[in-house]
């Protein structure tokens, strides 16, 4: 039995093919979000990698911000439930999932059996989201995916006091013109994201274990800063970026 | 605070063929049109028209038989018809008001300023168009921002304000005796000032009659709301947003008794026939917190309906449940200080919500994080934990505004709702169906 989960986010698309809801056959990440060729590309890539045709997939579920805008699927589910289910599959001890997406941040509470019990999400503001990191990376002229490694070289943290993306952008520009080190500035940006995310996570309550999902989890600097803010270890699975897609594929299996 | 008297919900899902309006709704529309028409006629005769906050002791002007319009209600109606933006822009641009103040205030102050500059609102296709005021009635029982709003109207238009200063009940469940005496004294003072302003004597017998009618109307409304505890509910809970308009703008009038009696009859008929104004299967029942997103009412309704979610009850509509014994002025003074939950503590409000969630058999709560009505919204940040712990239902928030279209995001609303629905479905599979107490 083959199922596919396609997570159409605002900045990236992820697809996964599962056999019998257990074995990952193929995964694809395309750094293009909804409204682009990203969804179609992630969809096709996963099929190619698994060496199967669309007709051989028993059920396809969509999730993510762009879940209503792709025709070739059997249904859709919210990214809230899919992230919860996906992380439980990857890290079964987890009770609190923090997902930092391109334009929102979620803190999810899972039951011991992995069912979604509750969630809180950021208000309509880009502070603490992947978009915030993207904007700051742009100002510093570095790639978003290089921010984690860059912050490794920090000797101190340049504090960024504005949480508003637009104001923080000007703050980062003025720090750059004051000649601060890029590594120290990056560490400060990570701390700013972590503070904002932690306040949301505290609102939902912190229950061990805590995991970070979504693409931002690949940034070690954010993970470290968040662990420091939450005063707790934060688990990250190598497939953390795929959690939403995995959850969708698992729900697809359950629906068969 | 306000109710929408706009009649048909603009932007509501298209129905083919269009079902005729229930008689009660047609009566609401007729009543609203009549109130506005009467105010214009009075204005054209050179007689005074009042603008009043939504929970001012309406019994006074009703007794004096002077036409009164309600800016909060008008702002809701205009927003629901997507006509509010030019006024909000005028308030923020030309008048330099910040985006942080209540959007009802921005919309209304923008409109009043345009009126002052002799830009006829009537000819701009604004519906319902308010006749210009000659006096203002202000009670700050739902928020203190109203004071600045009305103070500014009063200065800009150079007209008097009849003010009843209500005290909040932050440290006690019941208003203390001195607070009741304070408000009663002000009501009596307003009567004296109004006698002078209107040039008429206050008719205390008529006042008693108006009090009686007001009580009949609020009791009827409560009885109708209680019918929605049935499972499945006979009404789409969003209907309450429309039917509260008569209570807001005509609480002391017999025409409201006629409307609510008809609505009660229609609702009972739905119960008897096993039908409902909620279209489709009622899969989930949620408690709605906060004012409606008037400009997005149609979208909210359609999206909720798509997931089989009926927002059977909301805490907002109970704000006009101003309960007292006719003839008891102290009781009336007390009631005007407690009917809006905005004047209570967070635990006090949540206690009411928890009881209501239980009574209406709700599986979850959907909270409008309203950028305008901060007093109503901020409670929920802490209050949601109380709801989750004591009512044992999941809570989801979404961002919006009662009038300002810039705040709401359709995608965010749907994601939050879908997440809530998925948790409610999971809970149902785990616990079985939660029964409404009055089912
Ligand atoms: S802030 Fe809230 S209570 Fe105050 S006027 Fe606006 S809507 Fe009404």
């Amino acid at each position: 039995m083959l199922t596919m989960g396609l997570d159409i986010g605002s900045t990236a698309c992820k697809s996964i093919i599962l056999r019998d809801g257990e074995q990952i056959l193929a995964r694809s990440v395309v750094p293009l979000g909804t409204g682009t060729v990203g969804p179609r590309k992630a969809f096709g890539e996963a099929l190619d990698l698994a060496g199967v045709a669309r007709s051989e997939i028993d059920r396809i579920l969509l999730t993510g911000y762009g879940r209503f805008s792709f025709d070739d699927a059997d249904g859709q589910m919210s990214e809230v439930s899919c992230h919860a289910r996906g992380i439980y599959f990857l890290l079964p001890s987890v009770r609190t999932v923090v997902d930092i997406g391109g334009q929102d941040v979620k803190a999810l509470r899972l039951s011991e059996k992995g069912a979604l019990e509750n969630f809180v999400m950021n208000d309509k503001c880009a502070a603490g989201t992947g978009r915030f990191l993207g904007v700051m990376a742009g100002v510093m002229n570095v790639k978003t995916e290089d921010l984690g490694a860059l912050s490794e070289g920090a000797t101190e943290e340049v504090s960024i006091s504005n949480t508003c993306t637009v104001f923080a952008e000007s703050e980062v520009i003025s720090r750059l013109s004051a000649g601060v080190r890029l590594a120290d500035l990056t560490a400060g940006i990570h701390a700013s994201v972590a503070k904002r995310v932690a306040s949301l996570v505290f609102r939902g309550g912190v229950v061990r274990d805590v995991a970070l999902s979504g693409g931002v989890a690949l940034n070690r600097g954010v993970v470290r800063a968040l662990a420091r803010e939450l005063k707790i270890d934060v688990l990250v699975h190598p497939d953390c970026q795929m959690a939403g897609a995995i959850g969708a594929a698992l729900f697809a299996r359950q629906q068969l | 605070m306000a109710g929408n008297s706009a009649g048909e919900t603009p932007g509501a899902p298209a129905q083919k063929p269009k079902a005729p309006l229930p008689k009660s709704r047609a009566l609401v529309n007729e009543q609203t049109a009549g109130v506005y028409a009467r105010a214009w006629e009075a204005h054209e005769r050179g007689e005074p028209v009042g603008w009043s906050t939504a929970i001012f002791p309406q019994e006074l002007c009703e007794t004096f038989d002077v036409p009164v319009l309600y800016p909060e209600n008008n702002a809701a109606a205009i927003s629901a018809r997507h006509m509010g933006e030019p006024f909000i822009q005028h308030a923020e641009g030309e008048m330099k008001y910040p985006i942080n103040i209540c959007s009802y205030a921005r919309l209304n102050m923008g409109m009043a300023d345009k009126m002052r500059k002799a830009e006829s609102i009537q000819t701009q296709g604004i519906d319902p168009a308010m006749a210009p005021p000659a006096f203002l009635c202000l009670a700050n029982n739902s928020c203190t921002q109203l004071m600045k709003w009305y103070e500014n109207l009063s200065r800009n238009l150079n007209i008097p304000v009849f003010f009843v200063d209500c005290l909040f009940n932050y440290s006690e469940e019941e208003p203390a005796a001195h607070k009741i005496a304070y408000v009663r004294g002000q009501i009596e003072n307003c009567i004296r000032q109004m006698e002078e302003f209107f040039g008429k004597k206050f008719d205390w017998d008529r006042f008693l009659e108006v009090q009686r009618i007001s009580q009949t109307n609020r009791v009827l409304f409560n009885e109708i709301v209680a019918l929605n505890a049935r499972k499945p509910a006979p009404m789409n809970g969003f209907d309450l947003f429309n039917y509260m308009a008569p209570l807001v703008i005509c609480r002391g009038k017999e025409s409201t008794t006629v409307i609510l009696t008809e609505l009660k009859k229609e609702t009972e008929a739905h119960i008897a026939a096993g039908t409902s104004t909620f279209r489709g299967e009622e899969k989930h029942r949620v408690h709605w917190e906060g004012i409606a997103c008037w400009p997005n009412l149609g979208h909210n309704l359609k999206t909720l309906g798509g997931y089989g979610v009926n927002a059977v009850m909301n805490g907002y509509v109970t704000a006009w449940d101003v309960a007292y014994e006719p003839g008891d002025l102290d009781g009336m003074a007390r009631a005007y200080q407690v009917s809006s939950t905005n004047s209570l503590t967070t635990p006090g409000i949540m206690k009411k919500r928890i009881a209501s969630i239980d009574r209406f058999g709700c599986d979850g709560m959907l909270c409008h994080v309203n950028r305008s009505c901060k007093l109503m919204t901020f409670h929920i940040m802490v209050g949601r934990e109380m709801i989750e712990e004591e009512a044992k239902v999941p809570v989801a928030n979404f961002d919006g505004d009662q009038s300002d279209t810039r705040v709401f995001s359709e995608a965010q609303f749907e994601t939050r709702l879908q997440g809530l629905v998925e948790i409610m479905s999971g809970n149902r599979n785990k616990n079985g169906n939660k029964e409404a107490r009055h089912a």
Side-chain angles (χ1 to χ4, degrees):
Chain A
M1 199 76 81
L2 300 182
T3 57
M4 181 194 272
L6 180 55
D7 179 0
I8 307 176
S10 59
T11 53
C13 292
K14 288 78 66 177
S15 68
I16 202 115
I17 297 176
L18 290 184
R19 184 189 298 285
D20 298 328
E22 284 169 5
Q23 184 197 354
I24 298 178
L25 283 194
R27 54 169 78 67
S28 159
V29 180
V30 176
L32 294 168
T34 182
T36 68
V37 292
R40 188 50 65 186
K41 213 167 154 207
F43 178 79
E45 269 182 17
L47 290 176
D48 290 348
L49 284 168
V52 295
R54 162 70 182 93
S55 55
E56 292 172 70
I57 306 284
D58 296 285
R59 191 164 177 82
I60 299 177
L61 271 196
L62 305 173
T63 189
Y65 177 62
R67 65 190 179 283
F68 301 106
S69 57
F70 189 83
D71 294 336
D72 207 355
D74 302 301
Q76 50 86 17
M77 277 196 82
S78 80
E79 57 258 43
V80 182
S81 297
C82 290
H83 271 275
R85 177 59 81 89
I87 283 289
Y88 185 72
F89 175 85
L90 298 170
L91 299 163
S93 65
V94 166
R95 300 285 309 281
T96 307
V97 182
V98 184
D99 171 55
I100 306 181
Q103 60 174 11
D104 61 26
V105 182
K106 323 173 190 45
L108 320 173
R109 168 73 59 73
L110 271 57
S111 73
E112 272 166 24
K113 291 185 179 153
L116 179 64
E117 280 188 334
N118 206 344
F119 67 96
V120 283
M121 291 173 82
N122 63 315
D123 49 19
K124 208 175 149 194
C125 165
T129 66
R131 179 78 74 205
F132 181 91
L133 287 171
V135 169
M136 300 314 146
V139 174
M140 295 192 295
N141 202 19
V142 297
K143 287 190 181 143
T144 313
E145 55 271 31
D146 293 340
L147 288 174
L150 188 58
S151 68
E152 306 269 345
T155 50
E156 60 174 325
E157 222 173 72
V158 174
S159 116
I160 304 293
S161 52
N162 282 294
T163 51
C164 164
T165 309
V166 177
F167 292 165
E169 186 181 1
S170 347
E171 201 178 344
V172 166
I173 292 170
S174 69
R175 300 287 171 148
L176 281 173
S177 30
V180 300
R181 292 178 64 231
L182 227 48
D184 297 343
L185 190 53
T186 310
I189 290 167
H190 290 160
S192 159
V193 168
K195 279 200 182 86
R196 182 79 188 183
V197 172
S199 64
L200 184 88
V201 180
F202 285 131
R203 232 200 279 163
V206 183
V207 182
R208 269 175 208 277
D209 287 346
V210 177
L212 193 59
S213 76
V216 174
L218 296 171
N219 178 331
R220 301 295 310 162
V222 172
V223 178
R224 266 197 312 272
L226 185 61
R228 204 173 56 216
E229 286 299 323
L230 294 176
K231 298 182 181 57
I232 198 168
D233 280 345
V234 173
L235 308 181
V236 176
H237 190 278
D239 266 331
C240 57
Q241 197 178 3
M242 307 304 300
I246 293 173
L250 288 168
F251 279 118
R253 174 70 187 84
Q254 190 181 313
Q255 289 170 2
L256 283 170
Chain B
M1 313 265 289
N4 174 20
S5 60
E8 271 272 67
T9 304
Q15 288 133 25
K16 289 180 203 154
K18 210 165 183 291
L21 274 186
K23 188 174 168 201
S24 58
R25 273 297 283 281
L27 288 171
V28 172
N29 292 353
E30 211 175 277
Q31 182 188 54
T32 305
V35 166
Y36 279 85
R38 195 180 156 226
W40 277 107
E41 284 158 18
H43 172 72
E44 272 145 28
R45 285 195 303 268
E47 291 166 15
V49 172
W51 282 10
S52 172
T53 57
I55 323 181
F56 183 84
Q58 48 79 29
E59 291 83 349
L60 307 190
C61 287
E62 192 63 50
T63 302
F64 279 111
D65 195 24
V66 172
V68 174
L69 299 172
Y70 293 83
E72 294 148 85
N73 166 265
N74 178 260
I78 285 184
S79 304
R81 292 178 170 174
H82 302 147
M83 290 175 174
E85 266 180 47
F87 302 118
I88 291 180
Q89 270 167 19
H90 180 75
E92 288 175 17
E94 210 163 304
M95 300 176 80
K96 303 187 176 60
Y97 283 111
I99 191 171
N100 297 326
I101 64 170
C102 172
S103 52
Y104 282 170
R106 274 177 283 149
L107 194 159
N108 179 254
M109 289 193 291
M111 179 190 279
D113 195 55
K114 279 179 172 253
M115 280 180 172
R116 185 177 64 89
K117 293 181 175 145
E119 290 182 38
S120 168
I121 299 301
Q122 261 178 319
T123 54
Q124 289 177 30
I126 299 301
D127 183 25
M130 295 212 288
F135 67 96
L136 301 164
C137 296
L138 159 67
N140 55 350
N141 42 10
S142 51
C143 85
T144 48
Q145 206 176 135
L146 289 161
M147 288 197 291
K148 281 291 157 198
W149 172 0
Y150 275 59
E151 185 185 324
N152 288 7
L153 282 178
S154 163
R155 284 183 187 205
N156 285 349
L157 305 174
N158 195 24
I159 53 175
V161 191
F162 297 102
F163 179 29
V164 177
D165 179 27
C166 299
L167 301 171
F168 282 20
N169 306 296
Y170 285 154
S171 53
E172 63 223 357
E173 293 261 313
E174 271 296 307
H178 67 272
K179 290 186 179 173
I180 293 173
Y182 177 59
V183 170
R184 181 195 166 125
Q186 293 179 77
I187 292 175
E188 287 168 338
N189 196 36
C190 273
I191 292 173
R192 280 192 292 274
Q193 290 176 328
M194 284 178 170
E195 281 184 326
E196 215 170 290
F197 185 76
F198 299 139
K200 320 185 190 177
K201 281 307 275 175
F202 190 68
D203 180 343
W204 288 90
D205 294 333
R206 172 70 187 141
F207 180 52
L208 186 63
E209 182 57 21
V210 170
Q211 286 185 317
R212 283 204 186 103
I213 297 169
S214 306
Q215 290 309 303
T216 304
N217 289 341
R218 69 141 201 109
V219 169
L220 263 173
F221 189 74
N222 283 350
E223 286 169 359
I224 294 161
V225 170
L227 293 175
N228 234 26
R230 294 243 165 197
K231 218 168 184 180
M235 250 192 284
N236 186 325
F238 265 39
D239 291 354
L240 296 173
F241 283 133
N242 292 310
Y243 284 111
M244 66 193 232
L247 271 199
V248 179
I249 66 171
C250 295
R251 195 159 63 252
K253 291 194 198 301
E254 270 162 344
S255 56
T256 295
T257 316
V258 173
I259 293 172
L260 295 179
T261 306
E262 175 60 29
L263 175 61
K264 193 174 169 202
K265 211 170 76 191
E266 288 169 5
T267 310
E268 284 168 343
H270 274 299
I271 292 172
T275 53
S276 173
T277 60
F278 182 80
R279 289 165 200 281
E281 187 196 346
E282 181 184 279
K283 293 187 191 138
H284 303 282
R285 299 162 67 89
V286 299
H287 207 280
W288 178 281
E289 180 65 16
I291 303 178
C293 280
W294 297 115
N296 311 96
L297 201 65
H299 170 269
N300 290 171
L301 195 62
K302 194 172 163 191
T303 312
L304 285 162
Y307 289 93
V309 176
N310 189 356
V312 287
M313 179 51 180
N314 67 73
Y316 176 48
V317 293
T318 57
W320 288 269
D321 184 18
V322 186
Y324 57 86
E325 276 300 318
D328 175 10
L329 201 51
D330 280 335
M332 186 171 133
R334 176 201 164 273
Y336 273 101
Q337 288 186 89
V338 297
S339 76
S340 164
T341 50
N342 277 10
S343 71
L344 307 180
T345 59
T346 303
I349 299 168
M350 293 308 141
K351 208 165 114 188
K352 284 176 186 273
R353 301 295 189 257
I354 289 160
S356 185
I357 286 169
D358 182 43
R359 182 171 179 211
F360 285 84
C362 297
D363 322 300
M365 191 179 199
L366 192 58
C367 303
H368 175 193
V369 174
N370 182 347
R371 287 288 166 103
S372 274
C373 194
K374 289 155 183 86
L375 200 51
M376 200 181 279
T377 296
F378 283 169
H379 295 287
I380 204 61
M381 298 301 166
V382 181
R384 68 175 287 164
E385 280 171 31
M386 300 177 190
I387 300 284
E388 284 160 3
E389 264 165 41
E390 291 189 39
K392 308 241 176 306
V393 297
V395 179
N397 292 356
F398 69 93
D399 292 294
D401 191 279
Q402 63 215 18
S403 288
D404 193 331
T405 50
R406 291 167 291 188
V407 185
F408 181 78
S409 151
E410 291 187 356
Q412 192 215 57
F413 179 81
E414 181 147 14
T415 297
R416 307 280 167 103
L417 174 66
Q418 199 178 8
L420 182 67
V421 165
E422 286 160 9
I423 299 176
M424 291 191 296
S425 305
N427 288 349
R428 174 163 302 179
N429 294 339
K430 225 166 45 195
N431 310 330
N433 225 337
K434 190 172 180 178
E435 289 305 321
R437 177 165 293 175
H438 299 292

